[in-house]
Amino acid sequence: MKFLRKSGVLLHPTSLPGTFGIGTIGKPAYDFVDWLKSAGQSLWQILPLGPTGYGDSPYASFSTFAGNPLLIDLDMLVEKGWCNKKDIAPADYIKKTGNVDFGAVVWWKTSILKKAALYFLENASEEDKKAYKDFVKAKASWLEKFAIFMSIKNFYDAKASEEKPENSIWYAYWPKKLASCQEEAVLEWKKEHKTEVEVYKVIQFFFEYQWQQLKKYANEAGIQLIGDIPIFVAPDSADVWSNQEFFQLDKDGHPSCVAGVPPDYFSADGQLWGNPLYDWDALKNSSYSWWIARIKRVFELTDVLRIDHFRGFEAYWSVPAGQKTALNGKWVKGPGLDLFKTIKRKLGDLPIIAEDLGVITDEVKALRDQAGLPGMKVLQFAYSVDEIRQNGMVNYFMPHMYDTNNCVVYTGTHDNDTMQGWLENCSDEQLVLVAEYFEGKEITAEKARAMVKSGALRKDFIKAALSSTAVFAVIPMQDILGLGNEARMNTPSTTGANWAWRMEAGQLKTKAAEELKFLAALYARNL
């Protein structure tokens, strides 16, 4: 599909300010759309929208089809008459500012949402109840199993919590008939826990209604939403539990091999993700039905799709289950072009971005190009002193080396340090290289440091992204705001402090919008 030349901002809704505990898809999200429009931007890129689990990563959710309940705006539920106002008061430990404390927010907000769902079932208007029933019918292919999965999980997680809550996965704690998703056992559970299962469905209805209203508002403002999905799904998910035939599992549901990547930009030992791998033969025999449904669902929620770890479709890193690192894995061939031909045949020519970072071979590049997908360029990866010593100024992440407009450029991604943080941690040699690249003249280390401190060098990166030939230019919000590494969203291969950053109220400045608007017009990003 041909992409028009555009630019935009990367910001996950959890990072929006102005609501208790966590960013939501309520008023702050609408305010952000207004700010994007005032800044001449036409793209809003987000991270995956699924309900997050242990570790809080949006790339490891309980469902790749469902929405994250934590994003639901409580005030909007009250406005619709779907929740009692007295039930949404924040607990003393829930703050309106500062980073997200996911544990506290989950404890507080989940209880409120369950109360709201019960209130809705008893008090909603007939028109709203009909809308809910229509939603349940339309999404039955994934909603039913997701709601049942969450009901069972909620029950057995309580039993597992005294041991290792991070390992409270369905195949480890559930009775065998439920763990194997036997139809009779699942239906019996649904019958015995009818109300609780219904509550999970209502909460998904809340998310769907609010998200679709926000998407409509953004689209009418000329803003396209760029969605994101990881190639793999979490082991502790309704996706794996209800589709076990499509994954490499043993007879008890345990993964036989798991996903990861070999040593890369971020980790000398590689990254051991632990996701179960697909049985691509089984998926192919079903005409990739599960993948088709997954892609279709993302395009119900967003306008453009970025697929994380695209290279895994050509070949994926398979690590035997039980390994402590990803070092002892091996490359195994993936579905290749056949999957993308099937997607195009069944769903049409869709705007999909391939995250082609990491160990990229000629075969991966060929697959990307044969599928007609733009890849990614990350400016932070362009200025390795060691690589430049070896190859000169021939680095394909550098703007002057883009040999096609069929790519999307970022200053950094959710996995990178912020631009300001990265610059502040550069060596003098690297910093001089960067400064000379953008200034086109010799620069001393002292002068380069002064450019970092003033924010001039950070702005040079943003200008370079927007002026490049890349079809899309996407800038993380932290880079626009000039924030340091305290605002980093994720550090790969670490746990504990990721995904939590939030903007502060008042940080959406008119001046920053005016600067972006000027650059978007100057470099024809407002087509």
Side-chain angles (χ1 to χ4, degrees):
M1 170 174 279
K2 182 176 175 59
F3 286 62
L4 295 177
R5 187 172 170 83
K6 296 178 183 291
S7 61
V9 175
L10 169 61
L11 179 74
H12 198 49
T14 57
S15 296
L16 289 165
T19 50
F20 283 98
I22 192 170
T24 74
I25 51 179
K27 186 179 183 301
Y30 288 78
D31 290 344
F32 182 63
V33 169
D34 292 342
W35 184 88
L36 285 172
K37 184 177 180 179
S38 74
Q41 303 305 296
S42 49
L43 301 170
W44 178 7
Q45 181 166 332
I46 58 175
L47 306 183
L49 286 169
T52 55
Y54 180 80
D56 312 310
S57 171
Y59 293 88
S61 67
F62 295 137
S63 169
T64 192
F65 293 84
N68 188 347
L70 301 182
L71 293 175
I72 294 169
D73 190 84
L74 300 178
D75 290 326
M76 285 190 165
L77 292 183
V78 173
E79 289 171 11
K80 287 291 293 181
W82 294 350
C83 183
N84 193 323
K85 187 173 182 178
K86 67 179 179 63
D87 289 334
I88 70 169
D92 292 341
Y93 54 86
I94 300 296
K95 306 302 180 184
K96 203 169 186 177
T97 60
N99 286 357
V100 181
D101 180 345
F102 281 97
V105 170
V106 169
W107 182 263
W108 164 70
K109 196 164 186 177
T110 301
S111 175
I112 290 176
L113 289 171
K114 287 182 176 181
K115 285 182 183 178
L118 292 171
Y119 185 90
F120 175 89
L121 290 171
E122 293 181 4
N123 299 287
S125 68
E126 290 304 313
E127 181 181 359
D128 289 342
K129 286 181 179 178
K130 182 182 183 304
Y132 166 64
K133 289 177 181 177
D134 290 344
F135 165 76
V136 170
K137 183 178 180 181
K139 312 304 179 188
S141 61
W142 62 265
L143 181 62
E144 185 76 9
K145 285 290 177 61
F146 169 73
I148 295 171
F149 172 85
M150 293 304 297
S151 172
I152 304 172
K153 177 175 174 57
N154 184 56
F155 180 84
Y156 285 102
D157 273 8
K159 289 195 169 188
S161 63
E162 294 182 2
E163 297 178 38
K164 293 183 177 180
E166 69 272 22
N167 292 328
S168 56
I169 298 176
W170 53 270
Y171 55 69
Y173 288 94
W174 295 11
K176 186 171 181 59
K177 288 184 178 181
L178 285 175
S180 59
C181 201
Q182 291 185 19
E183 184 177 3
E184 184 178 343
V186 170
L187 290 176
E188 184 63 24
W189 181 276
K190 179 186 174 184
K191 180 180 177 182
E192 293 178 357
H193 301 82
K194 181 179 178 180
T195 300
E196 185 179 13
V197 171
E198 196 77 11
V199 160
Y200 282 108
K201 293 179 184 178
V202 174
I203 292 172
Q204 284 302 304
F205 172 70
F206 291 162
F207 173 88
E208 187 79 10
Y209 176 83
Q210 290 190 0
W211 183 263
Q212 293 300 341
Q213 291 295 110
L214 176 62
K215 181 178 184 297
K216 182 174 182 284
Y217 186 82
N219 290 165
E220 289 176 349
I223 312 295
Q224 287 186 303
L225 302 178
I226 303 179
D228 193 348
I229 58 171
I231 182 174
F232 300 114
V233 295
D236 193 19
S237 67
D239 305 304
V240 179
W241 171 68
S242 62
N243 298 280
Q244 295 179 43
E245 69 274 20
F246 293 145
F247 295 87
Q248 296 181 30
L249 309 175
D250 65 19
K251 61 181 179 62
D252 295 318
H254 297 78
S256 52
C257 292
V258 297
V261 290
D264 61 6
Y265 304 115
F266 299 110
S267 174
D269 289 331
Q271 298 178 49
L272 184 62
W273 297 335
N275 309 77
L277 297 168
Y278 297 107
D279 183 334
W280 284 112
D281 288 337
L283 280 161
K284 183 174 182 177
N285 289 337
S286 75
S287 297
Y288 304 106
S289 58
W290 183 84
W291 262 97
I292 296 298
R294 188 184 191 197
I295 298 293
K296 183 179 179 181
R297 173 59 177 161
V298 176
F299 278 99
E300 291 173 356
L301 300 172
T302 59
D303 305 295
V304 182
L305 169 62
R306 189 197 86 125
I307 301 181
D308 195 51
H309 196 62
F310 172 82
R311 74 102 53 243
F313 294 111
E314 193 282 322
Y316 55 89
W317 191 248
S318 175
V319 182
Q323 293 289 305
K324 300 299 183 184
T325 73
L327 284 173
N328 294 323
K330 63 179 181 179
W331 290 110
V332 179
K333 284 294 180 182
L337 190 60
D338 187 52
L339 171 62
F340 293 93
K341 284 182 175 179
T342 305
I343 291 171
K344 186 173 182 178
R345 186 173 69 251
K346 290 182 175 289
L347 299 178
D349 193 12
L350 299 172
I352 296 175
I353 300 166
E355 186 270 285
D356 55 345
L357 307 174
V359 182
I360 303 303
T361 63
D362 289 340
E363 291 82 2
V364 177
K365 295 175 185 176
L367 174 60
R368 178 198 64 203
D369 293 342
Q370 289 165 7
L373 308 180
M376 286 177 54
K377 305 291 186 182
V378 179
L379 291 182
Q380 282 189 26
F381 296 157
Y383 303 97
S384 164
V385 172
D386 290 340
E387 287 185 22
I388 288 170
R389 283 174 181 161
Q390 182 176 348
N391 302 319
M393 300 300 281
V394 180
N395 181 303
Y396 292 98
F397 289 107
M398 289 180 172
H400 72 273
M401 294 299 298
Y402 300 171
D403 58 359
T404 173
N405 64 0
N406 197 33
C407 64
V408 177
V409 64
Y410 299 78
T411 49
T413 74
H414 62 275
D415 282 334
N416 293 96
D417 199 348
T418 66
M419 197 72 253
Q420 188 67 19
W422 183 83
L423 287 167
E424 289 172 354
N425 285 288
C426 282
S427 67
D428 283 351
E429 183 179 7
Q430 187 175 30
L431 201 57
V432 166
L433 168 69
V434 169
E436 290 182 344
Y437 180 87
F438 290 120
E439 294 298 309
K441 61 182 180 182
E442 291 187 358
I443 300 286
T444 65
E446 183 179 14
K447 173 65 174 176
R449 289 288 171 197
M451 292 173 68
V452 173
K453 187 175 182 179
S454 70
L457 208 48
R458 168 184 57 84
K459 290 183 178 181
D460 281 339
F461 271 90
I462 295 173
K463 179 181 176 182
L466 270 71
S467 66
S468 75
T469 59
V471 65
F472 285 175
V474 181
I475 314 299
M477 193 68 208
Q478 296 96 314
D479 294 351
I480 294 167
L481 298 176
L483 301 179
N485 58 18
E486 76 282 354
R488 183 170 183 163
M489 196 64 169
N490 180 51
T491 303
S493 299
T494 68
T495 59
N498 295 321
W499 316 112
W501 172 72
R502 287 187 79 186
M503 293 176 62
E504 294 293 336
Q507 282 188 316
L508 286 178
K509 300 294 186 181
T510 300
K511 183 180 178 181
E514 290 173 347
E515 291 175 350
L516 272 181
K517 185 175 183 178
F518 175 80
L519 292 176
L522 184 65
Y523 298 119
R525 292 282 176 191
N526 56 352
L527 298 179

